[in-house]
Amino acid sequence: MYTKVKTKDEIVAMRTSGSILAQVLAEAKKHIAPGAPTQLLSDVADKEVRALGATPAFRGYQGFPESLCVSVNDEVVHGIPRSNTILEEGDIVSMDFGVTYQGMITDSAISVIVGAADPKDEALLEATQKSLHKGIAQLKDKVRVGDIAHAIQNELDKAGYGIVRELVGHGVGHHVHEEPNIPNYGKAGTGPTLEAGMTIAIEPMATIGDYRVMIDSDGWTVRTRDGSRSAHFEHTVLITKNGAEILTQASA
Ligand code: MG
Ligand code: MG
């Protein structure tokens, strides 16, 4: 389904959905520490989202078995949290979560370093998050998807990071994934035109090495082929006439 221009009521629901999502990720982040099993983060997220009156959108989505995706180091996205995956000092933990509230879905991800960080990893996270905001800065009525893609690519190319190509951003709202795809690389002035009132998830995934990825034998976990570390940042945003509203951040 192509993403629709949302109604006023749908936008109100998505604002609440996104605000809940931001609170859930903030709560899960508090539990990131050396020795913590990744399962704990998903359990915390599941409990928190339900306490806030919403449901986890990824649990059961295409059969995903958990509430929160937790991907560590060379795992890019869709990592399955496990009680025997234990976080260690210096790990990069990417948490990706979806919230359904009054039928409306938002989607957001953050990467966090456990304890003391290697400056190289810190730089990767910084650039990936910055590229997300460069993409968001392109948004306005009639923006082309290529404008977003190009802005993200430009930022990540500067530092020579690998840009994951097989996974992309997307429309979001009534479904977890709506058309069109929002790639993290591309040419300005190309691609579909987006309108004010549409809601999309922008989600750059970058690696310190090569961009190529593979899927684990668990059928879910996407990891870099060369074993290099990766980062992932994502926001659900509402396109407005002259800009954008980030829906998945804590309300002021
Ligand atoms: Mg996501
Ligand atoms: Mg997404």
Side-chain angles (χ1 to χ4, degrees), residues 2-230:
Y2 205 88
T3 198
K4 290 180 177 156
V5 170
K6 306 306 186 284
T7 66
K8 256 189 187 165
D9 287 349
E10 288 169 345
I11 290 167
V12 169
M14 285 185 79
R15 265 192 202 114
T16 305
S17 173
S19 160
I20 290 170
L21 203 166
Q23 291 174 69
V24 168
L25 284 182
E27 187 58 34
K29 188 178 169 180
K30 288 182 197 163
H31 293 79
I32 290 178
T38 56
Q39 181 73 54
L40 172 69
L41 306 178
S42 187
D43 292 350
V44 166
D46 188 271
K47 193 175 165 210
E48 183 72 7
V49 73
R50 294 178 200 281
L52 293 167
T55 52
F58 298 163
R59 182 174 279 272
Y61 179 73
Q62 296 182 346
F64 191 74
E66 285 287 335
S67 290
L68 179 70
C69 297
V70 188
S71 310
V72 183
N73 296 335
D74 64 320
E75 299 173 352
V76 182
V77 287
H78 305 164
I80 301 174
R82 299 184 194 281
S83 52
N84 60 357
T85 302
I86 308 297
L87 297 178
E88 291 177 24
E89 186 93 19
D91 280 347
I92 299 175
V93 187
S94 298
M95 301 191 293
D96 191 350
F97 197 61
V99 169
T100 307
Y101 179 79
Q102 292 181 351
M104 299 307 290
I105 296 165
T106 54
D107 183 8
S108 178
I110 55 170
S111 292
V112 177
I113 298 173
V114 182
D118 183 321
K120 264 199 206 158
D121 294 339
E122 221 160 30
L124 171 72
L125 266 60
E126 235 168 73
T128 309
Q129 190 168 26
K130 192 171 175 193
S131 76
L132 166 60
H133 288 280
K134 291 279 182 180
I136 293 171
Q138 295 295 316
L139 299 178
K140 59 181 183 197
D141 187 37
K142 304 283 189 279
V143 65
R144 303 286 296 267
V145 166
D147 296 341
I148 306 166
H150 177 75
I152 294 169
Q153 177 175 12
N154 196 37
E155 191 58 37
L156 293 171
D157 276 352
K158 273 195 224 165
Y161 293 127
I163 302 172
V164 175
R165 290 163 178 261
E166 287 170 53
L167 296 137
V168 293
H170 48 91
V172 65
H174 295 97
H175 302 275
V176 172
H177 291 109
E178 300 174 349
E179 288 172 47
N181 284 341
I182 316 284
N184 298 305
Y185 58 93
K187 258 181 107 174
T190 66
T193 301
L194 300 172
E195 287 174 48
M198 288 178 171
T199 45
I200 58 172
I202 302 179
E203 50 178 318
M205 288 152 262
T207 83
I208 288 180
D210 191 79
Y211 70 89
R212 291 181 187 85
V213 295
M214 59 187 183
I215 298 180
D216 258 15
S217 54
D218 66 17
W220 281 103
T221 312
V222 175
R223 63 171 81 232
T224 57
R225 281 186 182 267
D226 64 1
S228 64
R229 293 180 158 214
S230 68

